[in-house]
Amino acid sequence: MRSIWNGAISFGLVSIPIKLVNATENHSISFRQIHTADGGRIRYRKVCELEDKEVTAAEIGKGYEEADGSIIPITDEDLAALPLPTAKTIEIVAFVPAASIDPLQMDAAYYLSANGVPAAKPYTLLREALKRSQKVALAKFALRGRERLGMLRVVDDVIAMHGLLWPDEIRRPEGVAPETEVTVRDAELDLADALMETLGQVDMDSLQDDYRTAVESMIAAKVEGGGALPEAEPAERGGKVIDLMAALESSVKAAQEARGEGAEGEAVAEVTSIKGRKRTAKKSTSTRESPKKTTAKASTAKSGTATKKTAAKKTTAKTAAKAAEKKTAAKKTARSTPKKRAS
């Protein structure tokens, strides 16, 4: 990779010669401005407004415009003469926890490459020190005519540097948050947590620019002779009043279906009812009984009870008949026996 800046890292009294390399690249598709009538390119020419004529790049310099509109010329020699210690040096000023850096300050990213064999040892020393301390280095450096703030951290076996915006370049978020007072219920937070848990993690390498892919397909179709262009799905209009709980529940279910969850044996994020009521766990389909089977069991139980009652009645009747026969026999015996006379 081609270096864009050569200098050194100042680490106390240690100096590490390095080369600065861009860590990112832009894959966006760029378009040219054309004349719609004939397809001709639209170009911009740099013209001096005083002489009303086009000038070459060699004739163009820098200038600072004051409030009254007057221009003060600034030359490269003027800038080079400035007392700027970081002109060719990345000066480390502190080592801080990574969490102390506000992500809003993050700007462009670079790789720092050791410049030459002698730089290998101090470069490795700084890299391993950053690893062991689990901190990042705050540094100041100059690039493209201005002094910048940077953060050095380790990526694999390379020291990377993120350009940082100065603290006074971060705008305060005044008037951005909703001004209306809103109360969020626990049930809504539970659903939001369930949705976050269901979405889970993602492989960053699997993410891609779908818009760029669609633009490339459209261009390819035009190159091939005006073939069928990809049709965009109609976008839903914003500003609709929605049921937040219903939308969260639907989102959780959709995320579960997209990930193939909900199958037997797999854990599924619990979804709270819209009304906040507790849902009882439903039995699986395999253990449910059909209404017909339930009715048949009930009928069988009833018929069994009736049979027992009938049998009990028959037993009672037989016992009563035997008792009556015994009484009758006893009476006959008493009649046939002569009574003893009194002496």
Side-chain angles (χ1 to χ4, degrees):
M1 290 184 284
R2 187 174 63 87
S3 63
I4 61 172
W5 183 88
N6 291 349
I9 299 175
S10 174
F11 177 32
L13 297 178
V14 178
S15 181
I16 310 171
I18 56 97
K19 293 187 291 185
L20 197 67
V21 178
N22 280 321
T24 61
E25 55 188 6
N26 187 1
H27 289 167
S28 298
I29 297 175
S30 58
F31 298 100
R32 302 294 186 185
Q33 289 187 330
I34 63 171
H35 185 198
T36 56
D38 54 19
R41 284 280 305 275
I42 301 297
R43 298 182 182 274
Y44 293 94
R45 292 181 172 86
K46 296 181 178 180
V47 176
C48 173
E49 62 180 16
L50 297 180
E51 299 179 1
D52 194 21
K53 71 174 185 178
E54 187 176 355
V55 295
T56 63
E59 298 176 280
I60 299 175
K62 300 182 182 70
Y64 176 79
E65 183 178 4
E66 291 195 301
D68 59 0
S70 60
I71 302 294
I72 300 177
I74 304 293
T75 65
D76 292 337
E77 290 75 16
D78 294 333
L79 296 174
L82 291 176
L84 189 62
T86 57
K88 283 292 181 180
T89 304
I90 298 174
E91 181 184 356
I92 295 177
V93 296
F95 292 89
V96 299
S100 65
I101 304 298
D102 190 340
L104 283 174
Q105 289 183 254
M106 296 288 188
D107 201 2
Y110 309 93
Y111 289 135
L112 303 182
S113 171
N115 191 3
V117 176
K121 181 66 179 286
Y123 183 95
T124 305
L125 172 64
L126 177 58
R127 183 191 68 196
E128 295 305 313
L130 288 171
K131 281 184 180 180
R132 191 166 70 172
S133 67
Q134 296 183 347
K135 293 182 177 181
V136 297
L138 275 181
K140 295 168 68 177
F141 67 103
L143 184 65
R144 299 190 179 98
R146 55 170 294 203
E147 188 174 55
R148 301 164 186 256
L149 193 62
M151 178 191 76
L152 276 63
R153 69 184 183 97
V154 178
V155 176
D156 295 334
D157 288 331
V158 175
I159 299 176
M161 182 173 69
H162 295 270
L164 301 178
L165 299 175
W166 295 98
D168 60 358
E169 293 179 318
I170 305 297
R171 300 173 65 182
R172 299 292 301 171
E174 297 175 355
V176 178
E179 296 180 359
T180 306
E181 186 175 351
V182 178
T183 302
V184 179
R185 295 179 293 168
D186 289 340
E188 294 169 336
L189 282 173
D190 291 341
L191 273 174
D193 290 341
L195 178 57
M196 293 167 64
E197 183 179 349
T198 304
L199 291 175
Q201 299 179 349
V202 66
D203 180 9
M204 294 297 290
D205 292 335
S206 67
L207 301 178
Q208 62 179 3
D209 187 347
D210 294 329
Y211 178 77
R212 189 185 77 202
T213 303
V215 171
E216 289 173 346
S217 300
M218 178 264 293
I219 293 173
K222 285 181 171 290
V223 170
E224 291 174 1
L229 300 179
E231 294 184 1
E233 297 180 359
E236 295 183 1
R237 294 184 178 178
K240 291 184 178 179
V241 178
I242 62 172
D243 186 332
L244 181 58
M245 293 292 288
L248 285 170
E249 283 189 336
S250 300
S251 299
V252 171
K253 291 177 182 177
Q256 289 173 352
E257 292 173 359
R259 291 181 175 270
E261 296 181 0
E264 186 175 354
E266 291 189 1
V268 178
E270 183 180 353
V271 179
T272 308
S273 173
I274 293 179
K275 295 182 179 179
R277 298 175 183 172
K278 295 182 179 178
R279 287 185 177 179
T280 55
K282 293 183 179 180
K283 296 181 180 178
S284 61
T285 307
S286 58
T287 59
R288 287 182 185 166
E289 296 179 351
S290 64
K292 291 183 179 179
K293 288 184 178 180
T294 306
T295 306
K297 283 190 175 184
S299 301
T300 304
K302 287 182 180 179
S303 61
T305 305
T307 303
K308 288 179 180 180
K309 288 183 179 180
T310 304
K313 285 183 180 180
K314 288 181 179 180
T315 303
T316 304
K318 287 181 180 179
T319 303
K322 287 182 179 181
E325 288 178 0
K326 287 181 179 181
K327 286 183 180 180
T328 303
K331 286 181 180 180
K332 288 180 179 180
T333 303
R335 289 176 183 173
S336 60
T337 303
K339 295 179 180 180
K340 293 181 179 182
R341 294 180 179 178
S343 55

